[in-house]
Amino acid sequence: MRIVFMGTPESAVPTLRRCLQDGHEMVAVWTQPDRPAGRGNKVAASPVKEFALSRGLTVHQPARIKTDEAAELFRSHQADVAVVVAFGRILPKSFLEAPKHGCINVHFSLLPKYRGAAPVNWAIVNGENETGVTTMMIEPELDSGPIMLQQKTPIGDKETASDVLERLSELGAELLSETLQRFHQLTPRVQDHERSTFAPLLQKEHGLIDWTMNANAIDCRIRGFQPWPNAYTSLLSRGLTIWRAEPAPVKDSFVRSAQGLSEVAAPGTVITARHDDLIVSCGQQTALRLLEVQPEARRRMSVRDFLNGVPLKIGDRLGE
């Protein structure tokens, strides 16, 4: 097939690579404009652009796609199909109608669940035990088009969004390959719109830890909000990012009072701080053991290294 590929992040590269391996004619690659990135804020090309140029492909990066000029350029490719993987923009009607057989999206969820910009993150945050990838025909309404194929995969209880997305990007490449191979034999299946859920674009404030949540919910947010915005809190008036944690036994949500009696610690209270153990009380009488953290303006480190440099004591509070 003559294909226009549209994608931007690293998770889109495996599908582009697979289209080339399958012998399709890649008439053009569309990706987001180069933008500042990293600590140095240097202008950088997208991973899709870097890969496309390494293979000698034609790359287009219009600042806006809802223009007559962009629509005319897109039509000029005379593509059989457009393949879209995390392009980062909603395609206007003029784009959807340009390819001979329409536009196919590789979406990293089991539609109709988790339509939107961050499906992998919200699936983990919400405690799902499985997710998957869907190929679908694109329609004007966000992620609402008929489904071509789907593939499920479990979410491990230690996996981060980055871990799951890496696996889904490879599964998505395989599924798109099968979708194109069987394209004329597949019957698209209309989504059950009443079962749809939304996965909104992530915001910085999503990562702020609410210690009144139970430990399992906080652990899901720590894993789900990687690599950005990350799960963060404050400690001793400084920021603290939490990279790895795990729920601790319920008995650890109690502390010894001055009178020698056990009482429930308020959410966010340090109840153990020694050696490799940093345990914080959470809501619903649960507790979270922190395993890897990153103090403000410092590197990621193990809890042992952190405690060696920060004199925490039982009763100190996170989130204040």
Side-chain angles (χ1 to χ4, degrees), residues 49 64 96 115 211 241 272:
K49 178 183 178 179
R64 297 173 57 219
L96 299 182
R115 296 175 178 176
W211 292 103
T241 298
T272 301

Side-chain angles (χ1 to χ4, degrees), residues 105 107-124 126-134 136 142-145 147 150 152 155 168 189-200:
N105 179 222
H107 186 76
F108 299 127
S109 84
L110 295 173
L111 291 171
K113 295 187 73 172
Y114 298 108
R115 296 175 178 176
V120 178
N121 304 88
W122 289 109
I124 294 176
N126 291 337
E128 303 282 1
N129 57 24
E130 73 172 7
T131 184
V133 63
T134 301
M136 52 162 279
L142 179 67
D143 298 332
S144 65
I147 293 168
Q150 290 186 312
K152 296 180 179 181
I155 299 175
L168 288 178
R189 172 170 53 89
V190 175
Q191 293 187 40
D192 182 351
H193 302 298
E194 293 185 357
R195 293 179 52 244
S196 68
T197 61
F198 186 52

Side-chain angles (χ1 to χ4, degrees), residues 227-277:
W228 190 88
N230 296 307
Y232 60 91
T233 187
S234 58
L235 177 63
L236 304 178
S237 301
R238 300 292 300 274
L240 183 70
T241 298
I242 302 175
W243 287 96
R244 287 196 307 120
E246 62 184 12
V250 173
K251 64 181 179 62
D252 287 329
S253 64
F254 293 84
V255 295
R256 187 67 61 182
S257 71
Q259 291 76 30
L261 301 174
S262 291
E263 59 184 24
V264 177
T269 301
V270 174
I271 55 179
T272 301
R274 65 177 185 274
H275 307 308
D276 291 318
D277 266 350

Side-chain angles (χ1 to χ4, degrees), residues 23-78:
H24 296 290
E25 182 183 357
M26 202 62 54
V27 295
V29 172
W30 287 54
T31 189
Q32 293 287 332
D34 299 352
R35 291 194 172 95
R39 289 190 175 183
N41 217 30
K42 295 181 180 179
V43 175
S46 74
V48 163
K49 178 183 178 179
E50 291 183 346
F51 178 83
L53 292 179
S54 75
R55 300 302 178 93
L57 303 177
T58 299
V59 175
H60 298 291
Q61 298 175 274
R64 297 173 57 219
I65 63 172
K66 293 183 179 180
T67 66
D68 292 340
E69 293 80 7
E72 180 56 35
L73 175 60
F74 197 71
R75 282 193 294 267
S76 73
H77 299 315
Q78 297 183 329

Side-chain angles (χ1 to χ4, degrees), residues 41 85 89 101 112 160 201 211 229 242 262-263 269 280 308:
N41 217 30
V85 188
R89 292 180 182 174
H101 300 300
T160 67
L201 186 69
W211 292 103
I242 302 175
S262 291
E263 59 184 24
T269 301
V280 181
N308 284 340

